[in-house]
Amino acid sequence: MSYPYQIKSFDQYQQVYRHSVEQPEQFWAGIASHFTWKKKWDKVLDWNFESPDVKWFVGGKLNITENALDRHLQYNGHRPAIIWEPNDPDEHHRIITYRDLHFKVVQFANVLKNNGVKKGDRVVIYMGMVPELAVAILACARIGAVHSVIFGGFSAQSIADRLQDAQAEYIVTCDGAFRGNKDIPLKGIIDDALVQCRFVKRVIVLTRTRTPVSMIKGRDVWWEDEIKKVETMGNPDCPAEEMDAEDPLFILYTSGSTGKPKGVVHTCGGYMVYTTYSFVNVFQYEQEDIYFCTADVGWITGHSYIVYGPLCAGATTLMFEGVPTWPDAGRFWDIVDKYRVNILYTAPTAIRSLMSFGLGPVHGHDLSSLKVLGSVGEPINEEAWQWFHEHIGKGKCPIVDTWWQTETGGIMISNLAGVTPARPAHATLPLPGIQPVLVDEQGNELTHEGSLSGNLCIKFPWPSIIRTTYGDHERCRTTYFATYPGKYFTGDGALCDEEGNYRITGRVDDVLNVSGHRIGTAEVENAINMHGAVVESAVVGFPHDIKGQGIYAYVIYGNMHGDENLTRQDISQTVSRIIGPIAKPDKIQFVTGLPKTRSGKIMRRILRKIAEGELSNLGDTTTLLDPGVVEEIISGRL
Ligand code: WT7
């Protein structure tokens, strides 16, 4: 069975797209009418991109968990909502029906309430990929608390920064998380973060790894004990809090080109409508399909396309605790075979990494259940696209190349599986309701005379657009809405052909995309500079076979005596401690100076070219304070 708003042909796409642009309010009202609202909206849209101030479904009241859970109980309560595959293939998997999930969410919502959490409070969630992570998220939404999930690869310092910025008084975590052959001591990391965050009132700890943890009296409680308490209270219900369509649903931190990560805020109504609509249309989900997104819930992909989008659509979403290469590089294919997965959504970095093991790990697995493949996180290179298409999709599965961002909440530019044409390395066409435009450096809209190349902006709001950056609305304005007045600026460059097909070329700001994760160069530099003996540093990206981009650091080091490699390890450790292992530099080159202009600005363009190995054309170096450093840097290149 399909959905009333599911687009089934290219003609229909063109017709729907035209309608969505000509009459956006009527269009989105039609989509939104397929959801459960406690009170209908008074007005579909209020917006200006100057402040910015965007409101969708103004005056509407709802609770997203009634759409993700309660709505499915009557006819689909017995259907699997979450299939959970543990890290260790020998451990039992779990199948959680919509009825089970509803029960667990209600139960944990009561645990949160018992522990003092109220509507509007911020709750930080720092857990591995266990079903209870989805339960914790939905339980927050149930009572109107604002969740902020932090990816398990972030350090204590990063957690402390986020706790402080969000002023979060509540934390839900696990004793530890299994990832491949590693056991990450999540609660221990939380304890380190909390040394600086005395305002945290409660830490709820789920047992997963049985790693020994220390519990602080009056602050830390066990998930299991708290569940027992609500069980003895008798009343298993927890009515869904009435939320305004524009009340915040969650905060998710993401890196930018300057300063500390910012808390991207998404709201209840628009986010629900857009993630569900895009999920159904991009992947062409049909009832009873098994859908597997390999992302971590700690990133936006997991929020929108493991939890909210699929559950609001009543889909079966597969959640995998482990990593693609453990116990061997056939793990994804093993999972596809075991559960007869129909739709697989993954990242180019995972595909490239699995490609490097050859076809051995693919053989012996029956992948015939697959109908649709998806890619997200960075431009998918042609070679990875072909491998995915041929060896995983056996030439018969459309691949959707989905371009979007934490700030956009949902997929913006993508083909619709089997409905609109796919083209290797192209995200292709905008979804209905999305109005992309390319601009030149001066902000002039480029209009069609052949193919175009420019900076990618969106000129009209869509329901899941970022509303603010938590606690600092001005930062939201300057980052996204001030560069090209009247438009949302994505930070990406793109090409567009005569048919309107987009090809995203990558970030045009100082943001790196490492294994599909966004990392600001300034953030890595700040972390490196924390090392006692580092004088100054500059970080750029370089092409990396598997990660897409690697991190190249040029470091000026105060008198070097010991072993250079030990010093490198030491600097890496510092970055790991300040940000997390995901931000460790791949290469550290020691230099005595950096190429700077007379006004003291580092000329990253030159450093980038050197890191990329493009030594012949470094551009104009005559404005440098000391052109000699360039020679030195080139000769010491790693
Ligand atoms: C940046 C957003 C959206 C979830 C994952 C990353 C890059 C993402 C694609 C794609 C080319 C892509 C962009 C974007 N990106 N998907 N299909 N083709 N580039 O979310 O951390 O917010 O990063 O990822 O550069 O701006 P994020």
Side-chain angles (χ1 to χ4, degrees):
M1 216 185 75
S2 53
Y3 297 78
Y5 44 81
Q6 198 159 5
I7 297 165
K8 286 283 159 199
S9 69
F10 190 46
D11 277 355
Q12 194 192 352
Y13 161 78
Q14 286 173 314
Q15 204 181 313
V16 169
Y17 186 79
R18 205 173 312 120
H19 177 214
S20 77
V21 170
E22 285 165 5
Q23 292 180 301
E25 302 196 20
Q26 196 190 61
F27 171 74
W28 285 115
I31 308 296
S33 70
H34 295 288
F35 292 78
T36 301
W37 297 81
K38 286 178 186 283
K39 175 185 166 286
K40 205 185 155 187
W41 54 90
D42 305 312
K43 194 172 176 218
V44 180
L45 173 64
D46 250 339
W47 71 289
N48 79 72
F49 274 177
E50 279 73 58
S51 314
D53 183 17
V54 180
K55 292 190 178 77
W56 281 93
F57 312 112
V58 185
K61 306 283 179 192
L62 77 153
N63 187 292
I64 196 168
T65 69
E66 286 192 328
N67 287 272
L69 301 169
D70 304 60
R71 186 161 55 123
H72 310 308
L73 294 184
Q74 192 179 357
Y75 300 111
N76 294 320
H78 62 285
R79 287 235 170 99
I82 297 177
I83 297 176
W84 179 71
E85 168 73 7
N87 180 59
D88 181 346
D90 292 332
E91 189 183 335
H92 248 291
H93 69 273
R94 290 166 65 183
I95 293 181
I96 298 162
T97 64
Y98 273 95
R99 200 171 305 293
D100 297 337
L101 186 60
H102 178 267
F103 180 81
K104 285 175 189 299
V105 168
V106 158
Q107 215 181 24
F108 194 66
N110 282 323
V111 166
L112 291 173
K113 278 189 186 170
N114 279 349
N115 281 278
V117 183
K118 289 183 295 296
K119 180 175 180 173
D121 287 345
R122 276 80 54 219
V123 178
V124 156
I125 302 178
Y126 187 64
M127 300 171 82
M129 285 283 285
V130 289
E132 287 77 7
L133 166 55
V135 170
I137 286 175
L138 294 164
C140 286
R142 187 77 172 179
I143 65 170
V146 179
H147 59 76
S148 185
V149 181
I150 301 178
F151 173 63
F154 280 112
S155 68
Q157 183 60 53
S158 295
I159 297 167
D161 291 344
R162 286 158 173 75
L163 282 165
Q164 239 137 25
D165 189 82
Q167 285 297 301
E169 295 176 326
Y170 303 93
I171 298 177
V172 185
T173 188
C174 298
D175 50 358
F178 293 125
R179 274 178 70 78
N181 54 14
K182 291 205 198 79
D183 170 351
I184 300 148
L186 298 179
K187 172 60 164 64
I189 299 171
I190 289 287
D191 289 340
D192 289 345
L194 293 193
V195 173
Q196 307 171 47
C197 302
R198 306 297 289 271
F199 51 84
V200 170
K201 291 185 185 151
R202 191 70 83 235
V203 183
I204 303 176
V205 187
L206 176 84
T207 306
R208 172 61 188 132
T209 57
R210 306 199 173 271
T211 311
V213 298
S214 54
M215 301 290 277
I216 303 283
K217 201 180 285 171
R219 189 194 73 185
D220 303 349
V221 295
W222 289 104
W223 174 299
E224 294 79 8
D225 293 345
E226 297 305 297
I227 293 284
K228 282 199 199 103
K229 283 186 204 159
V230 301
E231 272 170 357
T232 57
M233 276 165 44
N235 181 11
D237 198 23
C238 176
E241 188 73 32
E242 182 170 293
M243 304 297 286
D244 191 274
E246 283 299 329
D247 278 338
L249 174 64
F250 66 83
I251 305 169
L252 186 59
Y253 284 84
T254 190
S255 297
S257 52
T258 54
K260 290 229 166 98
K262 41 192 178 288
V264 172
V265 175
H266 285 290
T267 58
C268 297
Y271 178 82
M272 167 181 77
V273 170
Y274 195 77
T275 53
T276 312
Y277 179 77
S278 52
F279 169 73
V280 163
N281 278 297
V282 170
F283 300 105
Q284 289 293 306
Y285 186 86
E286 303 271 343
Q287 248 176 48
E288 295 188 19
D289 280 347
I290 308 289
Y291 162 83
F292 174 22
C293 168
T294 69
D296 192 288
V297 171
W299 308 104
I300 191 69
T301 307
H303 282 61
S304 301
Y305 298 112
I306 294 179
V307 181
Y308 286 116
L311 294 179
C312 287
T316 297
T317 176
L318 196 154
M319 199 174 165
F320 171 42
E321 185 184 36
V323 297
T325 49
W326 194 84
D328 59 56
R331 192 66 195 278
F332 280 178
W333 324 128
D334 193 40
I335 295 172
V336 168
D337 189 345
K338 179 170 173 188
Y339 301 103
R340 312 301 302 141
V341 168
N342 306 110
I343 304 171
L344 174 69
Y345 189 26
T346 191
T349 184
I351 299 169
R352 287 191 301 262
S353 150
L354 295 176
M355 272 169 77
S356 73
F357 290 87
L359 289 174
V362 182
H363 291 147
H365 297 295
D366 178 2
L367 305 182
S368 62
S369 56
L370 288 173
K371 297 195 296 190
V372 172
L373 303 175
S375 166
V376 63
E378 60 176 299
I380 178 166
N381 48 308
E382 180 107 25
E383 201 192 348
W385 195 99
Q386 295 297 354
W387 189 87
F388 201 30
H389 188 251
E390 184 178 335
H391 298 294
I392 305 307
K394 313 293 179 196
K396 68 177 176 54
C397 301
I399 297 178
V400 289
D401 179 355
T402 65
W403 174 84
W404 58 297
Q405 310 178 295
T406 304
E407 296 85 346
T408 70
I411 298 167
M412 302 286 281
I413 303 181
S414 171
N415 49 315
L416 311 181
V419 171
T420 67
R423 199 158 130 200
H426 286 70
T428 73
L429 299 170
L431 263 67
I434 307 306
Q435 301 189 35
V437 59
L438 295 181
V439 300
D440 64 19
E441 293 295 331
Q442 288 71 45
N444 303 309
E445 278 190 32
L446 304 176
T447 46
H448 268 293
E449 277 165 52
S451 47
L452 309 174
S453 166
N455 289 347
L456 179 62
C457 293
I458 316 287
K459 61 179 178 182
F460 194 84
W462 62 99
S464 60
I465 186 176
I466 178 176
R467 299 306 198 273
T468 189
T469 46
Y470 192 80
D472 190 353
H473 193 63
E474 178 59 11
R475 190 161 177 209
C476 176
R477 192 187 70 80
T478 52
T479 311
Y480 307 106
F481 297 91
T483 318
Y484 304 112
K487 296 183 179 71
Y488 166 83
F489 176 43
T490 64
D492 280 324
L495 309 173
C496 185
D497 71 12
E498 278 159 55
E499 277 86 53
N501 286 299
Y502 285 87
R503 175 181 191 142
I504 313 298
T505 47
R507 304 287 308 193
V508 295
D509 51 11
D510 288 321
V511 171
L512 306 181
N513 188 328
V514 179
S515 301
H517 302 319
R518 209 202 285 195
I519 298 172
T521 51
E523 233 184 301
V524 182
E525 287 165 7
N526 291 341
I528 292 174
N529 298 347
M530 299 287 267
H531 187 286
V534 168
V535 178
E536 197 179 3
S537 64
V539 165
V540 297
F542 72 97
H544 186 288
D545 284 348
I546 294 195
K547 298 179 179 182
Q549 255 185 328
I551 302 178
Y552 196 117
Y554 299 91
V555 175
I556 305 178
Y557 197 80
N559 57 72
M560 170 85 63
H561 336 281
D563 181 321
E564 280 204 5
N565 277 330
L566 282 178
T567 310
R568 284 195 179 94
Q569 278 176 25
D570 215 31
I571 292 172
S572 275
Q573 264 307 313
T574 307
V575 174
S576 190
R577 224 169 292 139
I578 302 292
I579 305 175
I582 53 172
K584 279 189 192 174
D586 297 276
K587 294 183 181 180
I588 298 176
Q589 179 181 347
F590 294 110
V591 296
T592 60
L594 292 167
K596 288 187 179 173
T597 61
R598 290 197 183 88
S599 60
K601 216 172 125 2
I602 296 173
M603 293 196 62
R604 295 165 172 288
R605 179 176 50 81
I606 293 173
L607 293 175
R608 221 176 282 132
K609 288 226 163 128
I610 297 174
E612 284 167 2
E614 259 191 65
L615 305 176
S616 56
N617 180 22
L618 292 179
D620 184 12
T621 54
T622 54
T623 56
L624 287 179
L625 192 61
D626 174 12
V629 296
V630 175
E631 288 310 312
E632 182 216 305
I633 294 175
I634 291 176
S635 66
R637 199 179 155 259
L638 298 173

